[in-house]
Amino acid sequence: QVQLVESGGGLGQPGGSLRLSCAASGSIFAIYDMAWYRQAPGEQRELVARITNDGTTTYSGSAQGRFTISRDNAKNTVYLQINSLKAEDTAVYYCNAVVQYIHYRPPIACWGQGTQVTVSS
């Protein structure tokens, strides 16, 4: 009933910037936490950043300083700004959201399909 669609990935140069977007659509009563995860080749999926519906943010240690998560509640969209790109940022980035699609059902965790970010010169 709920879809998360990421966009904005692609090829970035070292030192450059990318901005990822993730829009939620479908039957939505409320969206709570939204987050970005990433999974590099051969690695486990890891949390990059999380933002609550009132705008409180948390970052993983590796994301501190270069990553900024934000959201537009009116558009049901979460963003991830990545600055000073490094080769180790290469990964598939996944959007995650805790969504309540109808008031009498508990919230569930939803995932996007992922967007590839490749950092290379």
Side-chain angles (χ1 to χ4, degrees):
Q1 293 95 338
V2 176
Q3 284 189 320
L4 300 180
V5 179
E6 299 108 332
S7 60
L11 179 64
Q13 292 198 339
S17 298
L18 284 174
R19 190 190 194 209
L20 309 183
S21 300
C22 171
S25 62
S27 177
I28 298 172
F29 173 74
I31 301 178
Y32 300 101
D33 288 6
M34 302 185 84
W36 288 95
Y37 287 72
R38 68 183 181 183
Q39 187 167 18
E43 302 290 332
Q44 290 190 335
R45 191 175 298 187
E46 63 173 0
L47 175 68
V48 175
R50 183 186 307 278
I51 185 167
T52 66
N53 57 357
D54 66 357
T56 302
T57 59
T58 56
Y59 295 91
S60 68
S62 61
Q64 286 281 357
R66 296 190 298 114
F67 291 68
T68 303
I69 189 170
S70 59
R71 66 191 284 174
D72 184 334
N73 289 334
K75 296 181 179 179
N76 291 334
T77 299
V78 63
Y79 306 95
L80 185 69
Q81 178 74 34
I82 312 173
N83 297 326
S84 302
L85 285 165
K86 301 179 179 180
E88 50 263 43
D89 296 327
T90 296
V92 178
Y93 285 72
Y94 295 92
C95 173
N96 169 269
V98 179
V99 180
Q100 188 174 14
Y101 66 89
I102 198 164
H103 66 92
Y104 56 81
R105 294 289 188 186
I108 58 173
C110 300
W111 291 91
Q113 80 287 353
T115 186
Q116 176 71 46
V117 170
T118 301
V119 181
S120 175
S121 57

